[in-house]
Amino acid sequence: MEKEVGAVEESPVVLPLFGFLDVTGEVVTMILIVVFTAVVSLLARRLLRERPGKVQNVLEMAVESLEGFFAGLLGPEKARRHFGYLGALFVFIVLCNYSGLMPGVGVFDWLKAPSASLSVTAALGVATFLFLQAAALLSGVGDYFRRFVSPMFFMLPLVLLDEVIKPVSLSLRLYGNIFGEEMVVRQLYGIFPVGPPILMMALSLLFCALQAVVYTLLVSLYLDEATEPLEPRPRKQRKTKTLAQSLEGGLK
Amino acid sequence: MTSSAIIGIAAGLVIALSTIFPALAQGKAAKAAMESIARQPDAAKDIRSALILSLALMEALTIYGLLVAFMLIGKI
């Protein structure tokens, strides 16, 4: 198989599994992240006390500030309703981005930053696309179909295109940012191994969190747009009079 | 000129152009946000989130340029 062009590299398989379920380094890292979050949340649930300890305090503060962030964008009711997906998305993306900064990740084939791979971010984009469609459908089937033709019927192709472009641009943005950062760090390392890469990595501490914020911010804006009830269509004045009106007119 | 030289120049041009113009736009947006924060410090929170959103959308253009440049470099 010939090598793909630059950015879209194939990552080496570390655990062959029937050919179509091959496990790559990104998948291993993602599984580790999922196990880590699951263990932390299970432990935190086990440690729930009336008088919170350290762990509970930190986690409660994190969850509350996250919910406050979504409530500021969506309003408290919708934020509460969709917090499961949005919060999980945020936590997962943050951990994926930060996993690239751990020593050893990206050096061996076994561990790789998941969000520096287009396949992972594309999968996140597909999941987000399905989530948005489902949320819009659940908030009102009639509104869902009317939104495609909302101001005018000829908006249909544009709206359809928009629905497809949303996940594509989300996944390309996340992938490009994380991948670009990694490449910049690598190039800087090649030029001068001691000083500049650390500066860039310190900057990427900021950018990694920012990318997760931006991703979830955009998803919740799309969600707000998609689940907002449409204002009822202005009724056109009927040209044909009703039977009673015409009878009245005739009688006069 | 060989084709790889052309590809190299094209990759350089892509990343240069797609950095220059979003950088100008981001400067404008940051300037406007700072001015409005100075005028109305109470609204700083709202302005900040709107600023971050718009900066991220502009940043995306640069990132697309970066990806295209990487793809071009990979073709050499």
Side-chain angles (χ1 to χ4, degrees):
Chain A
M1 202 172 181
E2 70 179 285
K3 197 173 169 295
E4 283 289 311
V5 287
V8 196
E9 276 180 358
E10 270 189 48
S11 93
V13 175
V14 295
L15 197 72
L17 216 64
F18 316 123
F20 60 95
L21 279 176
D22 286 346
V23 173
T24 58
E26 285 90 2
V27 180
V28 174
T29 319
M30 280 196 288
I31 291 173
L32 285 182
I33 286 170
V34 170
V35 168
F36 172 74
T37 37
V39 166
V40 166
S41 7
L42 283 180
L43 273 183
R45 202 181 65 174
R46 181 75 55 84
L47 290 175
L48 273 185
R49 297 277 181 275
E50 197 65 33
R51 187 181 297 169
K54 268 182 203 159
V55 180
Q56 193 181 342
N57 256 333
V58 170
L59 289 179
E60 270 181 1
M61 205 183 75
V63 169
E64 269 169 18
S65 57
L66 203 56
E67 203 177 344
F69 169 69
F70 290 127
L73 292 165
L74 291 170
E77 189 191 332
K78 267 194 216 168
R80 180 87 241 173
R81 203 168 146 204
H82 299 294
F83 185 65
Y85 183 76
L86 294 173
L89 195 66
F90 181 80
V91 171
F92 184 69
I93 293 176
V94 160
L95 288 179
C96 279
N97 293 351
Y98 276 148
S99 72
L101 294 174
M102 277 198 316
V105 174
V107 180
F108 310 112
D109 283 347
W110 274 92
L111 290 174
K112 280 188 172 169
S115 41
S117 146
L118 185 54
S119 313
V120 174
T121 55
L124 281 176
V126 169
T128 302
F129 174 77
L130 293 179
F131 165 71
L132 285 176
Q133 303 304 317
L137 261 177
L138 285 180
S139 75
V141 180
D143 271 3
Y144 176 78
F145 288 110
R146 251 177 55 208
R147 200 167 279 118
F148 284 106
V149 286
S150 72
M152 282 295 181
F153 69 93
F154 58 77
M155 295 292 281
L156 181 66
L158 287 181
V159 178
L160 284 178
L161 206 61
D162 189 39
E163 289 297 317
V164 177
I165 284 174
K166 273 175 194 170
V168 170
S169 85
L170 277 176
S171 51
L172 270 183
R173 178 178 300 117
L174 184 60
Y175 161 69
N177 270 295
I178 305 301
F179 176 75
E181 253 166 44
E182 280 203 346
M183 291 308 283
V184 169
V185 170
R186 202 168 296 167
Q187 299 290 329
L188 279 178
Y189 187 79
I191 296 168
F192 198 77
V194 182
I198 295 181
L199 275 179
M200 190 60 209
M201 284 169 99
L203 261 184
S204 67
L205 268 182
L206 174 66
F207 288 148
C208 287
L210 196 63
Q211 281 314 310
V213 169
V214 165
Y215 194 99
T216 39
L217 187 75
L218 284 173
V219 171
S220 44
L221 285 185
Y222 294 151
L223 178 68
D224 193 33
E225 188 185 343
T227 54
E228 206 173 0
L230 282 179
E231 57 210 53
R233 188 169 21 180
R235 292 264 167 216
K236 276 181 195 162
Q237 283 295 329
R238 289 217 175 148
K239 282 188 188 135
T240 52
K241 290 177 187 169
T242 57
L243 188 62
Q245 276 172 344
S246 49
L247 275 181
E248 258 176 50
L251 284 177
K252 270 176 192 170
Chain B
M1 214 163 18
T2 60
S3 67
S4 59
I6 297 175
I7 291 176
I9 291 174
L13 269 182
V14 164
I15 192 62
L17 289 177
S18 68
T19 311
I20 290 170
F21 292 104
L24 287 177
Q26 286 187 335
K28 269 192 172 177
K31 170 172 167 275
M34 281 180 195
E35 277 174 1
S36 45
I37 287 180
R39 198 168 298 148
Q40 230 179 357
D42 301 336
K45 210 176 168 190
D46 295 340
I47 294 171
R48 194 175 301 128
S49 62
L51 176 69
I52 288 178
L53 181 65
S54 50
L55 286 189
L57 288 175
M58 288 180 239
E59 192 75 25
L61 303 177
T62 313
I63 295 299
Y64 296 156
L66 183 71
L67 287 180
V68 170
F70 274 131
M71 281 182 182
L72 284 176
I73 290 290
K75 286 209 166 177
I76 289 180

PDB file of all heavy atoms in Angstrom, chain A residues 237-251:
ATOM      1  N   GLN A 237     -53.217  35.566   4.597  1.00  0.00           N
ATOM      2  CA  GLN A 237     -54.656  35.873   4.492  1.00  0.00           C
ATOM      3  C   GLN A 237     -55.244  35.011   3.380  1.00  0.00           C
ATOM      4  O   GLN A 237     -54.718  34.971   2.279  1.00  0.00           O
ATOM      5  CB  GLN A 237     -54.851  37.344   4.146  1.00  0.00           C
ATOM      6  CG  GLN A 237     -54.647  38.274   5.323  1.00  0.00           C
ATOM      7  CD  GLN A 237     -55.675  38.070   6.411  1.00  0.00           C
ATOM      8  OE1 GLN A 237     -56.804  37.705   6.113  1.00  0.00           O
ATOM      9  NE2 GLN A 237     -55.285  38.263   7.656  1.00  0.00           N
ATOM     10  N   ARG A 238     -56.280  34.316   3.712  1.00  0.00           N
ATOM     11  CA  ARG A 238     -56.859  33.454   2.690  1.00  0.00           C
ATOM     12  C   ARG A 238     -57.576  34.300   1.646  1.00  0.00           C
ATOM     13  O   ARG A 238     -58.327  35.208   1.973  1.00  0.00           O
ATOM     14  CB  ARG A 238     -57.861  32.508   3.338  1.00  0.00           C
ATOM     15  CG  ARG A 238     -57.173  31.476   4.188  1.00  0.00           C
ATOM     16  CD  ARG A 238     -57.892  30.183   4.057  1.00  0.00           C
ATOM     17  NE  ARG A 238     -57.148  29.161   4.786  1.00  0.00           N
ATOM     18  CZ  ARG A 238     -57.760  28.156   5.379  1.00  0.00           C
ATOM     19  NH1 ARG A 238     -59.068  28.069   5.353  1.00  0.00           N
ATOM     20  NH2 ARG A 238     -57.057  27.244   5.985  1.00  0.00           N
ATOM     21  N   LYS A 239     -57.319  33.938   0.405  1.00  0.00           N
ATOM     22  CA  LYS A 239     -57.982  34.704  -0.650  1.00  0.00           C
ATOM     23  C   LYS A 239     -59.415  34.224  -0.809  1.00  0.00           C
ATOM     24  O   LYS A 239     -60.332  35.012  -0.990  1.00  0.00           O
ATOM     25  CB  LYS A 239     -57.223  34.543  -1.967  1.00  0.00           C
ATOM     26  CG  LYS A 239     -55.984  35.421  -1.985  1.00  0.00           C
ATOM     27  CD  LYS A 239     -55.337  35.421  -3.345  1.00  0.00           C
ATOM     28  CE  LYS A 239     -53.996  36.143  -3.258  1.00  0.00           C
ATOM     29  NZ  LYS A 239     -52.954  35.401  -3.951  1.00  0.00           N
ATOM     30  N   THR A 240     -59.566  32.896  -0.749  1.00  0.00           N
ATOM     31  CA  THR A 240     -60.932  32.381  -0.886  1.00  0.00           C
ATOM     32  C   THR A 240     -61.676  32.594   0.417  1.00  0.00           C
ATOM     33  O   THR A 240     -61.205  32.257   1.480  1.00  0.00           O
ATOM     34  CB  THR A 240     -60.899  30.880  -1.185  1.00  0.00           C
ATOM     35  OG1 THR A 240     -60.066  30.282  -0.188  1.00  0.00           O
ATOM     36  CG2 THR A 240     -60.332  30.606  -2.535  1.00  0.00           C
ATOM     37  N   LYS A 241     -62.841  33.184   0.336  1.00  0.00           N
ATOM     38  CA  LYS A 241     -63.611  33.411   1.548  1.00  0.00           C
ATOM     39  C   LYS A 241     -64.207  32.089   2.003  1.00  0.00           C
ATOM     40  O   LYS A 241     -64.422  31.167   1.222  1.00  0.00           O
ATOM     41  CB  LYS A 241     -64.747  34.394   1.270  1.00  0.00           C
ATOM     42  CG  LYS A 241     -64.270  35.792   1.032  1.00  0.00           C
ATOM     43  CD  LYS A 241     -65.459  36.661   0.685  1.00  0.00           C
ATOM     44  CE  LYS A 241     -65.003  38.033   0.280  1.00  0.00           C
ATOM     45  NZ  LYS A 241     -66.115  38.799  -0.308  1.00  0.00           N
ATOM     46  N   THR A 242     -64.435  32.008   3.303  1.00  0.00           N
ATOM     47  CA  THR A 242     -65.111  30.812   3.785  1.00  0.00           C
ATOM     48  C   THR A 242     -66.577  30.886   3.363  1.00  0.00           C
ATOM     49  O   THR A 242     -67.079  31.935   2.936  1.00  0.00           O
ATOM     50  CB  THR A 242     -65.018  30.715   5.309  1.00  0.00           C
ATOM     51  OG1 THR A 242     -65.583  31.905   5.843  1.00  0.00           O
ATOM     52  CG2 THR A 242     -63.597  30.583   5.760  1.00  0.00           C
ATOM     53  N   LEU A 243     -67.192  29.755   3.496  1.00  0.00           N
ATOM     54  CA  LEU A 243     -68.577  29.650   3.025  1.00  0.00           C
ATOM     55  C   LEU A 243     -69.482  30.644   3.747  1.00  0.00           C
ATOM     56  O   LEU A 243     -70.295  31.344   3.134  1.00  0.00           O
ATOM     57  CB  LEU A 243     -69.062  28.218   3.275  1.00  0.00           C
ATOM     58  CG  LEU A 243     -70.413  27.863   2.671  1.00  0.00           C
ATOM     59  CD1 LEU A 243     -70.346  27.992   1.161  1.00  0.00           C
ATOM     60  CD2 LEU A 243     -70.803  26.458   3.070  1.00  0.00           C
ATOM     61  N   ALA A 244     -69.269  30.744   5.075  1.00  0.00           N
ATOM     62  CA  ALA A 244     -70.132  31.620   5.864  1.00  0.00           C
ATOM     63  C   ALA A 244     -69.970  33.073   5.435  1.00  0.00           C
ATOM     64  O   ALA A 244     -70.970  33.788   5.278  1.00  0.00           O
ATOM     65  CB  ALA A 244     -69.768  31.475   7.342  1.00  0.00           C
ATOM     66  N   GLN A 245     -68.682  33.457   5.187  1.00  0.00           N
ATOM     67  CA  GLN A 245     -68.447  34.850   4.801  1.00  0.00           C
ATOM     68  C   GLN A 245     -69.117  35.163   3.473  1.00  0.00           C
ATOM     69  O   GLN A 245     -69.749  36.212   3.304  1.00  0.00           O
ATOM     70  CB  GLN A 245     -66.949  35.111   4.686  1.00  0.00           C
ATOM     71  CG  GLN A 245     -66.300  35.437   6.017  1.00  0.00           C
ATOM     72  CD  GLN A 245     -64.796  35.487   5.898  1.00  0.00           C
ATOM     73  OE1 GLN A 245     -64.237  35.003   4.924  1.00  0.00           O
ATOM     74  NE2 GLN A 245     -64.161  36.064   6.892  1.00  0.00           N
ATOM     75  N   SER A 246     -68.977  34.222   2.514  1.00  0.00           N
ATOM     76  CA  SER A 246     -69.546  34.511   1.204  1.00  0.00           C
ATOM     77  C   SER A 246     -71.074  34.530   1.292  1.00  0.00           C
ATOM     78  O   SER A 246     -71.734  35.325   0.605  1.00  0.00           O
ATOM     79  CB  SER A 246     -69.075  33.474   0.177  1.00  0.00           C
ATOM     80  OG  SER A 246     -69.250  32.184   0.690  1.00  0.00           O
ATOM     81  N   LEU A 247     -71.611  33.684   2.161  1.00  0.00           N
ATOM     82  CA  LEU A 247     -73.062  33.702   2.338  1.00  0.00           C
ATOM     83  C   LEU A 247     -73.506  35.047   2.900  1.00  0.00           C
ATOM     84  O   LEU A 247     -74.453  35.664   2.411  1.00  0.00           O
ATOM     85  CB  LEU A 247     -73.491  32.583   3.293  1.00  0.00           C
ATOM     86  CG  LEU A 247     -73.703  31.230   2.649  1.00  0.00           C
ATOM     87  CD1 LEU A 247     -74.141  30.210   3.667  1.00  0.00           C
ATOM     88  CD2 LEU A 247     -74.738  31.362   1.540  1.00  0.00           C
ATOM     89  N   GLU A 248     -72.706  35.509   3.934  1.00  0.00           N
ATOM     90  CA  GLU A 248     -73.045  36.800   4.517  1.00  0.00           C
ATOM     91  C   GLU A 248     -73.007  37.899   3.486  1.00  0.00           C
ATOM     92  O   GLU A 248     -73.895  38.738   3.387  1.00  0.00           O
ATOM     93  CB  GLU A 248     -72.041  37.135   5.620  1.00  0.00           C
ATOM     94  CG  GLU A 248     -72.555  36.898   7.017  1.00  0.00           C
ATOM     95  CD  GLU A 248     -71.477  37.149   8.044  1.00  0.00           C
ATOM     96  OE1 GLU A 248     -70.847  38.219   7.958  1.00  0.00           O
ATOM     97  OE2 GLU A 248     -71.260  36.272   8.892  1.00  0.00           O
ATOM     98  N   GLY A 249     -71.896  37.851   2.670  1.00  0.00           N
ATOM     99  CA  GLY A 249     -71.740  38.868   1.632  1.00  0.00           C
ATOM    100  C   GLY A 249     -72.911  38.835   0.664  1.00  0.00           C
ATOM    101  O   GLY A 249     -73.400  39.875   0.215  1.00  0.00           O
ATOM    102  N   GLY A 250     -73.343  37.613   0.332  1.00  0.00           N
ATOM    103  CA  GLY A 250     -74.433  37.498  -0.622  1.00  0.00           C
ATOM    104  C   GLY A 250     -75.747  37.988  -0.054  1.00  0.00           C
ATOM    105  O   GLY A 250     -76.573  38.559  -0.781  1.00  0.00           O
ATOM    106  N   LEU A 251     -75.907  37.803   1.234  1.00  0.00           N
ATOM    107  CA  LEU A 251     -77.173  38.192   1.839  1.00  0.00           C
ATOM    108  C   LEU A 251     -77.317  39.702   1.928  1.00  0.00           C
ATOM    109  O   LEU A 251     -78.419  40.225   1.843  1.00  0.00           O
ATOM    110  CB  LEU A 251     -77.305  37.582   3.243  1.00  0.00           C
ATOM    111  CG  LEU A 251     -77.649  36.096   3.263  1.00  0.00           C
ATOM    112  CD1 LEU A 251     -77.671  35.578   4.679  1.00  0.00           C
ATOM    113  CD2 LEU A 251     -78.993  35.873   2.590  1.00  0.00           C
TER     114      LEU A 251
END
